[in-house]
Amino acid sequence: MVLKKWKKVTASLMLSIVTLGSGLTFLDTPQASAAANAVPAYEVKFLAKPELVLNANGTPRSEVIQTLGLNATPRNINVEYFDTNALGLDAQGWNVRFRKKDDKNNFELTYKKRYPVINGDINAALTLANQEGFDSSDDNYEAEIDWGYGKQTLSFSNTKKVDTKTTGTQLPSEKDALNLLLDKLPGKLKNWSASNWGKQQLTQARAYGPITFQRYEGTWNGQELTLEVWPIRNAAGTGIENIVEVSFKTDDAATVSGLRNQLLQLLQNKNWLIPADGLKTQTILERY
């Protein structure tokens, strides 16, 4: 009788232990975590002095072409940006771009979200972007760190291409371009701060531009590099001034700093460098 009672108590105790163990095992099981931060590529950009690097006709001087290993024949690209008169998209860090390259048979529609990198803390910017829906699982957007003279900016770009029979750099009418941008509008922008917020903003947008710029491509120090000449309306609105940008892109986070320092040193030694940052997009939105 005692033996049976002991067995019953033992069995009950073992059942409790198993149940408790199962509970502990369940509690210790890792929960599904959110996607990791995006891994960005890098684009290093420096502004150059147009009066020293360009000829009177706006083409790069022969010394610049030789030093930077550039092709003497450029690619022509026509571009315009779309935003409301009050720059509602820009105020939320969004830019919408429409462009046509002279050697392509498609229009490029790009929707870009920017985040400032504060005190060089790229991880903090990536974490904020992750919290707002831009993470490593989203392959619709390309993450990139734009690294200028004194500051960095994180961007996420979604580019759509629309086939066209248009030749050269000709853009469609402002209305047709806007209709295409609305048709291809990605969900993140469409519902950014409220349902249909982005669609409403873009519906009320107008074109800033267009501007046809020249891109000279080449190879410097084993690295693909470009020099772009942007003829942008001057601040007074009375004429055109050239903005010259020298840049390269890389996915290699380990080498980007060294390459950047080498290019910076070269431009400084030649007295070509403008020691300042500048966002072309912002300048265009302000002047057009």
Side-chain angles (χ1 to χ4, degrees):
M1 188 75 177
V2 174
L3 181 59
K4 286 182 177 180
K5 186 175 182 179
W6 180 84
K7 285 183 176 179
K8 188 175 180 181
V9 171
T10 303
S12 176
L13 180 61
M14 290 301 293
L15 181 60
S16 298
I17 292 173
V18 169
T19 303
L20 179 61
S22 298
L24 288 172
T25 302
F26 174 76
L27 290 173
D28 290 343
T29 300
Q31 301 298 305
S33 59
N37 287 350
V39 178
Y42 289 81
E43 182 171 13
V44 171
K45 300 178 179 179
F46 292 119
L47 295 175
K49 299 175 181 177
E51 69 275 14
L52 295 183
V53 300
L54 300 181
N55 295 310
N57 63 359
T59 60
R61 292 171 49 218
S62 58
E63 181 188 359
V64 175
I65 287 176
Q66 292 169 6
T67 301
L68 298 179
L70 301 172
N71 295 321
T73 303
R75 170 184 291 183
N76 292 290
I77 304 172
N78 201 359
V79 61
E80 58 189 1
Y81 295 85
F82 281 82
D83 206 335
T84 64
N85 285 328
L87 301 181
L89 292 168
D90 182 64
Q92 290 290 324
W94 282 96
N95 293 133
V96 176
R97 184 182 71 193
F98 195 107
R99 71 182 184 182
K100 173 73 169 63
K101 298 175 180 176
D102 62 0
D103 61 341
K104 299 294 183 181
N105 60 354
N106 56 55
F107 297 126
E108 285 186 5
L109 290 59
T110 300
Y111 310 82
K112 179 181 288 189
K113 176 70 174 81
R114 286 194 171 100
Y115 293 90
V117 176
I118 300 171
N119 297 325
D121 194 344
I122 293 173
N123 284 331
L126 287 167
T127 298
L128 174 59
N130 191 332
Q131 294 168 355
E132 295 189 344
F134 297 97
D135 56 44
S136 60
S137 70
D138 191 344
D139 54 10
N140 292 317
Y141 287 81
E142 294 183 1
E144 184 174 86
I145 298 294
D146 295 331
W147 194 351
Y149 178 76
K151 71 176 184 178
Q152 297 172 317
T153 303
L154 169 66
S155 67
F156 289 84
S157 299
N158 183 331
T159 297
K160 311 286 183 68
K161 295 184 179 181
V162 178
D163 290 341
T164 178
K165 295 181 179 179
T166 301
T167 59
T169 62
Q170 183 179 347
L171 297 177
S173 69
E174 181 176 356
K175 179 181 178 181
D176 288 345
L178 186 56
N179 285 337
L180 286 172
L181 288 166
L182 283 165
D183 182 59
K184 300 296 183 180
L185 184 65
K188 275 190 173 65
L189 173 53
K190 180 181 178 181
N191 302 309
W192 179 246
S193 59
S195 178
N196 274 330
W197 176 86
K199 183 177 181 180
Q200 292 168 358
Q201 291 288 318
L202 198 53
T203 299
Q204 301 168 29
R206 67 170 177 86
Y208 289 77
I211 298 162
T212 301
F213 68 94
Q214 286 72 47
R215 174 181 292 169
Y216 296 83
E217 300 171 337
T219 303
W220 161 83
N221 205 12
Q223 173 69 46
E224 291 184 3
L225 178 142
T226 64
L227 181 148
E228 294 180 352
V229 182
W230 287 68
I232 293 179
R233 183 183 295 167
N234 62 21
T238 57
I240 296 295
E241 67 173 314
N242 286 317
I243 293 180
V244 181
E245 184 179 84
V246 180
S247 66
F248 69 83
K249 295 186 178 185
T250 179
D251 294 328
D252 193 345
T255 63
V256 63
S257 182
L259 281 170
R260 176 183 176 275
N261 288 338
Q262 290 176 40
L263 181 57
L264 175 64
Q265 194 65 53
L266 171 64
L267 296 175
Q268 285 178 328
N269 290 344
K270 292 287 188 179
N271 193 31
W272 295 342
L273 179 73
I274 295 178
D277 289 298
L279 271 177
K280 298 185 304 294
T281 306
Q282 206 65 42
T283 304
I284 292 167
L285 292 177
E286 291 169 359
R287 298 184 182 180
Y288 287 79

